[in-house]
């Protein structure tokens, strides 16, 4: 295990398929960061003793300018002459933008296009959007299925049939999308989506509302581990007047306790049709409170919003370090020191985040 820096930088406005609007950026109440480290083998252990290992994480940042809807990013200079294996690589993105609240400009679809290129697209430009990316490639033991689809203006769900099995207890989805209609001011239910694994070969996309012109294009990725991992999934609904909601993991056979130091949470938000433009109602920070409890927190009440969650627990020597930060309208970013941790090997580590807003 190499030793080096002990900190991670929180992107200014996350989206992993989850994009934040400008008005949210000045109202962040808290960000919860999970940094995942999949460590390599020591010299004393055979390579095939573990089911999966991270080969590399290729990270960086770029921007789409005021006249750019599509950007193809050649990352071959970071690959050492060996291209991505697309069946073992998934992509995480975070974006930030200023001066606009138009969903067509800020919602961004991203994917690994081929062995050396990443591609990012949005519906329209006129403003600059900044993004950070992490392309995570595994040596073995992981299968990534990816594709593109569209949801029509009259539909609240889209069912995707996968070509290969993705067992629910070893798989989690990643989702990004672009919007064809700007309904940002008071209709978050039209352009916010949740990814729900509803069958061994079935992924269902969900939203709460429909309206003419509100079509969306999606890039989906389903990550499946062959063994040594347990994925638990579910949804939680906030009471209309509640700022927090919890999930009891000590509830066999529905859920099981986890090891927090080896677990992280991925979330998708389903905004209520009456959310009325208050992001704080449906954006929730997800935290593994202890081995038996997941806690979801939001900054504003008034509607019964739903969070879909995936709890990924590694059952080998992988490490997960978690921390949180709160900052107000005067801050555009923060540096988080990872607690109780040896330094992270950035070439084999990736970060995820969830967040909430004041209003």
């Amino acid at each position: 295990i190499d030793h080096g820096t002990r900190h991670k930088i929180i992107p200014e406005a996350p989206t992993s398929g989850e994009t934040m609007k400008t008005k949210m950026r000045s109202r962040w109440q808290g960000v919860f960061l999970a940094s995942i480290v999949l460590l390599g083998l020591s010299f004393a252990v055979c390579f095939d003793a573990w089911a999966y290992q991270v080969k590399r994480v290729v990270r960086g940042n770029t921007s789409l300018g005021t006249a750019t809807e599509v950007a193809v990013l050649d990352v071959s200079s970071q690959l050492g002459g060996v291209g991505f294996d697309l069946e073992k690589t998934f992509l995480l993105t975070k974006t930030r933008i200023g001066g606009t609240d138009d969903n067509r400009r800020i919602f961004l679809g991203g994917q690994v296009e081929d062995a050396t290129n990443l591609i990012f697209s949005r519906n329209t430009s006129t403003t600059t959007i900044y993004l950070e990316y992490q392309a995570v490639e595994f040596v073995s033991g992981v299968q990534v299925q990816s594709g593109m689809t569209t949801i029509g203006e009259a539909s609240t769900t889209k069912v995707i049939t996968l070509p290969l099995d993705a067992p629910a207890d070893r798989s989690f989805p990643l989702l990004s999308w672009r919007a064809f209609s700007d309904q940002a001011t008071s209709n978050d239910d039209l352009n916010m989506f949740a990814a729900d694994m509803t069958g061994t070969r079935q992924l269902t996309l969900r939203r709460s509302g429909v309206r003419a012109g509100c079509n969306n294009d999606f890039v989906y990725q389903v990550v499946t581990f062959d063994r040594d991992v347990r994925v638990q999934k579910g949804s939680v609904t906030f009471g209309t007047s509640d700022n927090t909601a919890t999930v009891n993991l000590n509830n066999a056979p529905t859920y099981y306790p986890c090891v927090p130091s080896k677990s992280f949470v991925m979330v998708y938000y389903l905004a209520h049709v009456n959310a009325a433009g208050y992001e704080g109602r449906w954006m929730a920070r997800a935290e593994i409170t202890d081995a038996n409890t997941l806690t979801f927190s939001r900054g504003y009440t008034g509607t019964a919003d739903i969070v879909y969650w995936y709890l990924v627990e590694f059952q080998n020597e992988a490490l997960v370090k978690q921390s949180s930060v709160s900052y107000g309208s005067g801050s555009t970013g923060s540096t988080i020191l990872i607690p109780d941790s040896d330094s992270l090997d950035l070439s084999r580590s990736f970060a995820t985040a969830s967040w909430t807003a004041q209003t």
Side-chain angles (χ1 to χ4, degrees):
I1 305 172
D2 294 333
H3 293 268
T5 180
R6 297 188 61 177
H7 64 272
K8 287 282 189 180
I9 305 297
I10 291 277
E12 293 183 30
T15 140
S16 144
E18 313 138 344
T19 305
M20 295 192 68
K21 304 169 193 167
T22 301
K23 61 180 178 180
M24 303 176 202
R25 201 181 69 176
S26 63
R27 300 175 181 170
W28 278 15
Q29 193 175 47
V31 176
F32 192 79
L33 173 73
S35 181
I36 297 90
V37 190
L38 296 182
L39 299 178
L41 298 173
S42 69
F43 292 110
V45 184
C46 296
F47 180 82
D48 61 359
W50 293 3
Y52 52 84
Q53 292 188 34
V54 167
K55 177 179 180 179
R56 57 189 168 186
V57 177
V58 176
R59 57 169 47 82
N61 58 79
T62 188
S63 63
L64 278 69
T66 56
T68 303
E69 288 84 32
V70 179
V72 178
L73 184 63
D74 184 349
V75 295
S76 57
S77 63
Q78 302 180 64
L79 300 180
V82 180
F84 290 124
D85 183 337
L86 273 62
E87 294 182 352
K88 296 184 177 69
T89 306
F90 64 83
L91 180 66
L92 300 170
T93 60
K94 310 288 182 185
T95 66
R96 54 187 173 88
I97 195 168
T100 182
D101 202 33
D102 190 329
N103 286 175
R104 296 168 297 180
R105 298 177 184 132
I106 66 176
F107 280 76
L108 187 76
Q111 65 185 121
V112 183
E113 185 175 39
D114 56 36
T116 59
N117 291 285
L118 309 177
I119 187 169
F120 306 95
S121 63
R122 56 180 174 171
N123 185 265
T124 188
S125 55
T126 73
T127 54
T128 299
I129 186 171
Y130 303 90
L131 67 94
E132 291 84 25
Y133 60 86
Q134 302 172 94
V136 183
E137 182 180 7
F138 286 77
V139 175
S140 61
V142 168
Q143 170 187 279
V144 179
Q145 302 182 69
S146 61
M148 298 182 66
T149 191
T150 299
I151 191 168
E153 61 186 12
S155 299
T156 57
T157 61
K158 178 64 179 284
V159 177
I160 300 165
T161 300
L162 303 172
L164 302 173
D165 287 350
D169 62 346
R170 292 187 281 111
S171 305
F172 66 89
L174 297 169
L175 189 65
S176 62
W177 61 90
R178 60 178 186 172
F180 282 78
S181 178
D182 177 33
Q183 299 290 338
T185 304
S186 60
N187 296 102
D188 293 311
D189 56 293
L190 301 174
N191 284 322
M192 291 305 301
F193 291 85
D196 187 9
M197 296 294 297
T198 49
T200 302
R201 292 195 178 190
Q202 184 171 284
L203 172 65
T204 300
L205 311 182
R206 305 184 188 277
R207 64 177 169 183
S208 298
V210 297
R211 181 173 296 180
C214 291
N215 307 294
N216 294 81
D217 286 342
F218 296 89
V219 175
Y220 62 87
Q221 305 170 87
V222 176
V223 182
T224 302
F225 294 85
D226 63 359
R227 58 187 170 97
D228 293 343
V229 73
R230 177 167 63 189
V231 178
Q232 304 184 68
K233 62 178 286 289
S235 63
V236 62
T237 303
F238 284 95
T240 303
S241 59
D242 293 338
N243 288 98
T244 61
T246 60
V247 174
N248 177 20
L249 297 175
N250 191 8
N251 188 24
T254 305
Y255 300 123
Y256 298 89
C258 71
V259 179
S261 63
K262 292 182 175 293
S263 305
F264 70 98
V265 185
M266 303 285 292
V267 294
Y268 294 95
Y269 308 123
L270 199 62
H272 194 278
V273 293
N274 295 323
Y278 292 95
E279 291 87 359
R281 286 176 168 166
W282 51 265
M283 293 168 57
R285 190 178 73 169
E287 182 176 0
I288 303 173
T289 310
D290 54 46
N292 298 319
T293 311
L294 299 181
T295 301
F296 300 88
S297 306
R298 63 177 179 174
Y300 200 64
T301 62
T303 50
D305 298 86
I306 302 173
V307 178
Y308 284 79
W309 56 268
Y310 294 83
L311 175 63
V312 182
E313 179 182 359
F314 299 116
Q315 296 179 329
N316 62 5
E317 296 305 311
L319 303 176
V320 179
K321 298 299 180 181
Q322 305 177 72
S323 190
S324 62
V325 65
S326 297
Y327 50 95
S329 59
S331 300
T332 57
S334 294
T335 299
I336 293 181
L337 296 180
I338 305 299
D340 304 319
S341 175
D342 290 327
S343 58
L344 305 179
D345 180 354
L346 295 183
S347 68
R348 304 179 74 181
S349 306
F350 61 97
T352 68
S354 60
W355 56 89
T356 188
Q358 185 67 35
T359 58

